[in-house]
Amino acid sequence: MVVKIITAALQGIDATPVFCETSVTNGCRVIMIGLPDTAVRESRDRIESAMRESGLKFPRKQVTINLAPADVRKEGALYDVPIATAIMAAGAIIQTDKIADYMLVGELSLDGSVKPVKGTLPFAILAREMKMKGIIVPRDNAYEAAVVNNLDVLVADRLIDIIDFFNNKRDLEHVEINTRELFYSSENNFAADFADVKGQAQVKRAFAIAASGGHNIIMVGPPGAGKSMMAKCLPSILPPLSLSEALETTKIHSVAGMRSATGLITQRPFRSPHHSISSVALIGGGTNPMPGEVSLAHNGTLYLDELPEFSRQVLEVLRQPLEDRKITIARAKSTVVYPSSVMLVASMNPCPCGYFTHPTKQCTCTAMQVQKYLGRISGPLLDRIDLQIEISPLSFEEMSLNTVNEPSSAIRQRVVRARAIQEERYKDHPLIHCNAQMTSALLRKYCELDDKALIVLKNAMSKLDLSARAYDRILKVSRSIADYEGEDKITSTHIAEAIAYRNLDRRNRGL
């Protein structure tokens, strides 16, 4: 008798069905086919030990296991549970009347316990799309799978639990959560607040505008000016995630094996990798492709501190995902796409010693050293950063003032209002959510300039020798400034402020 168990494989952040077909016939060997990797082939020993600890014997016959479709590579230990269940069903150890109703995933320990796996949320979504009754998952993956509504999520702690369930000796624990209730009742607890940042009013405004339009931003200033602190305050003024964004973000983290305690990620991610990171760790990929830091920051913030200290190769691979908002990883036999719609926030010193722009401390760098240091950031990458601002350290008088600073909650209200304007503006364009994502056609439609604004922009383009990409970025930022101010039309004042945020362009040209 041939028994078929339904499980799944990951392809990017989505799952594709895998059918574990098993037969037990006369003979004395185990045959596994269907493009399994080493971890899948090793499942035979884990399954035999788990069955022994469950009081059962592994069949001393020929066991043929086919993982179909054969052209999809099967990776990882998540096939332990479905393969073990199929072997026992083919050997008449368990009944088969309910097997076709459930998807199974899970890794087996030698003692028969069921261990968590990666990608449970995409698996649960696939099970619902296939109109299956439910999915059986390890306990540590239960809340993650329960995010999917209209699907029975059953928990298995040990292999014997699954055997008894299919033999109608016991029921498995059913886990259910109200996704919408969980999402809308989640609290926004942020690690940093702009109320704790003294002074720096212009920098705070730049952050508010960047948050309003989803723009990339870079800060240039000496050590101790507050660059890192303000970057960590950014999540507190970003608009809340929508439910669809929360589900998409949770899928990416699920594929990476990063589980949320509640099953659903309800706050925008903030990722801050060290400057020694490799290009694969940042972008994603590897022998078995996995999402990198850029994708883990999807719908949130990617903060790169000390930007020039990152290797040139790492910085250059950022250019394509920042432009396309997705990462395509091509291999000989497959292509994987990971979303990467992030706000890039970067910071750097103005020179190697850090004190080139310091009002009191003396810089020890030569002009050539300063230029070489700034040259580590290529022009094409710099073009993709919309707001380039300089930060000066506070004086003693500014630091000692006991004034009450505006909290992030007040700034966030204005940001949310600006984003609401953009949501209404782009309601007929489902892939566009903020000004930073505007296409060329939308730029022409929503960024019309009067004669005065055109003259200001023309003079800046000529004087700073800006590229066509920088031209588009200035228009997008000016649109966000107008939205933040609640104004319909872009004026010359908005254009002038957007141009003022191109500090590195002016410095690179000695202006």
Side-chain angles (χ1 to χ4, degrees):
M1 180 177 69
V2 175
V3 174
K4 183 183 294 185
I5 298 286
I6 300 176
T7 182
L10 287 172
Q11 290 188 326
I13 64 170
D14 297 313
T16 186
V18 171
F19 301 94
C20 178
E21 301 172 337
T22 304
S23 67
V24 177
T25 56
N26 292 331
C28 191
R29 61 175 179 164
V30 176
I31 303 172
M32 189 175 294
I33 54 179
L35 210 59
D37 72 350
T38 303
V40 180
R41 292 186 181 280
E42 290 174 346
S43 65
R44 183 231 187 257
D45 298 315
R46 292 191 295 270
I47 292 169
E48 182 174 2
S49 177
M51 289 180 64
R52 184 172 58 250
E53 293 298 319
S54 301
L56 303 169
K57 290 185 179 180
F58 193 89
R60 298 304 174 190
K61 294 185 176 182
Q62 177 167 304
V63 179
T64 304
I65 304 162
N66 177 38
L67 299 173
D71 60 344
V72 175
R73 186 162 182 80
K74 321 305 183 303
E75 300 169 343
L78 67 95
Y79 301 102
D80 288 2
V81 168
I83 291 174
T85 305
I87 290 173
M88 291 185 291
I93 297 174
I94 62 175
Q95 301 178 24
T96 60
D97 55 328
K98 296 193 296 185
I99 282 181
D101 296 331
Y102 294 91
M103 178 180 288
L104 284 81
V105 294
E107 178 183 349
L108 284 175
S109 180
L110 295 182
D111 63 0
S113 59
V114 182
K115 300 170 67 175
V117 297
K118 299 177 181 178
T120 310
L121 179 55
F123 297 154
I125 293 173
L126 175 64
R128 184 178 64 181
E129 291 174 350
M130 295 178 67
K131 301 187 184 305
M132 304 192 71
K133 184 177 180 180
I135 182 172
I136 299 175
V137 299
R139 180 170 296 278
D140 289 347
N141 295 129
Y143 283 109
E144 185 180 318
V147 167
V148 180
N149 299 324
N150 303 318
L151 183 73
D152 289 341
V153 177
L154 305 181
V155 175
D157 292 313
R158 302 184 64 82
L159 181 61
I160 192 65
D161 297 338
I162 299 174
I163 297 171
D164 290 346
F165 171 72
F166 285 120
N167 286 334
N168 299 314
K169 292 183 178 180
R170 77 168 80 178
D171 290 329
L172 293 177
E173 181 181 341
H174 184 275
V175 176
E176 185 176 358
I177 62 175
N178 188 322
T179 306
R180 293 187 177 275
E181 182 180 340
L182 172 66
F183 176 74
Y184 290 111
S185 64
S186 60
E187 297 182 0
N188 291 316
N189 297 317
F190 300 106
D193 192 289
F194 274 112
D196 301 324
V197 180
K198 294 187 176 182
Q200 306 291 9
Q202 187 59 39
V203 181
K204 291 179 183 178
R205 177 176 171 82
F207 268 96
I209 292 167
S212 297
H215 302 287
N216 303 324
I217 184 171
I218 184 171
M219 298 170 284
V220 183
K227 301 187 295 294
S228 298
M229 184 177 183
M230 280 185 277
K232 293 174 183 177
C233 290
L234 178 61
S236 66
I237 65 171
L238 289 175
L241 282 170
S242 66
L243 184 56
S244 60
E245 286 177 328
L247 288 170
E248 187 177 32
T249 303
T250 305
K251 278 180 67 176
I252 298 172
H253 285 243
S254 173
V255 170
M258 303 170 65
R259 297 184 295 276
S260 171
T262 59
L264 183 69
I265 294 175
T266 57
Q267 291 188 6
R268 294 188 181 274
F270 181 89
R271 306 292 297 182
S272 180
H274 191 260
H275 59 74
S276 61
I277 191 172
S278 67
S279 57
V280 172
L282 183 65
I283 298 300
T287 305
N288 300 326
M290 293 293 291
E293 290 290 329
V294 179
S295 295
L296 292 173
H298 179 62
N299 291 323
T301 303
L302 177 68
Y303 176 46
L304 302 183
D305 193 13
E306 301 298 342
L307 189 65
E309 302 303 325
F310 287 79
S311 75
R312 184 67 176 256
Q313 179 186 5
V314 169
L315 293 180
E316 292 309 301
V317 297
L318 271 176
R319 288 159 52 179
Q320 183 261 340
L322 288 178
E323 194 73 21
D324 298 341
R325 298 185 180 273
K326 64 181 180 181
I327 296 166
T328 303
I329 299 172
R331 294 289 182 267
K333 295 183 178 180
S334 64
T335 299
V336 176
V337 178
Y338 293 119
S340 61
S341 181
V342 302
M343 266 190 69
L344 174 65
V345 179
S347 63
M348 59 181 288
N349 294 327
C351 66
C353 77
Y355 298 111
F356 181 68
T357 59
H358 200 283
T360 57
K361 295 186 178 180
Q362 183 68 33
C363 174
T364 60
C365 305
T366 64
M368 183 174 292
Q369 287 175 320
V370 174
Q371 193 64 32
K372 183 178 180 181
Y373 184 77
L374 294 176
R376 295 182 185 179
I377 315 300
S378 69
L381 178 61
L382 203 57
D383 269 352
R384 288 167 170 82
I385 301 179
D386 306 345
L387 288 86
Q388 307 159 8
I389 54 176
E390 292 196 35
I391 300 179
S392 299
L394 297 177
S395 64
F396 175 79
E397 289 75 16
E398 291 174 306
M399 288 188 290
S400 60
L401 288 175
N402 291 322
T403 55
V404 178
N405 300 305
E406 185 178 34
S408 291
S409 57
I411 303 174
R412 193 186 202 198
Q413 289 179 359
R414 297 193 293 272
V415 170
V416 170
R417 186 173 64 243
R419 283 290 182 103
I421 294 172
Q422 294 164 45
E423 286 291 338
E424 177 64 22
R425 178 183 297 140
Y426 308 125
K427 63 182 179 181
D428 296 330
H429 306 275
L431 299 180
I432 308 296
H433 303 287
C434 57
N435 290 330
Q437 299 172 350
M438 272 195 290
T439 62
S440 298
L442 293 177
L443 269 176
R444 292 191 298 270
K445 183 176 181 180
Y446 296 115
C447 296
E448 293 183 2
L449 304 180
D450 57 25
D451 292 341
K452 188 176 180 181
L454 277 172
I455 292 172
V456 173
L457 183 54
K458 180 181 178 180
N459 291 337
M461 291 291 296
S462 175
K463 189 173 183 181
L464 299 179
D465 192 23
L466 298 178
S467 66
R469 182 180 286 113
Y471 172 85
D472 288 348
R473 301 276 171 168
I474 290 173
L475 288 179
K476 291 177 182 179
V477 172
S478 62
R479 179 69 269 173
S480 295
I481 297 171
D483 292 342
Y484 186 71
E485 298 291 346
E487 299 181 16
D488 293 332
K489 294 184 177 180
I490 299 174
T491 67
S492 58
T493 304
H494 302 144
I495 288 289
E497 184 176 355
I499 294 169
Y501 293 130
R502 307 295 301 186
N503 280 337
L504 290 182
D505 289 322
R506 291 200 302 272
R507 175 178 291 182
N508 288 342
R509 287 157 181 79
L511 302 174

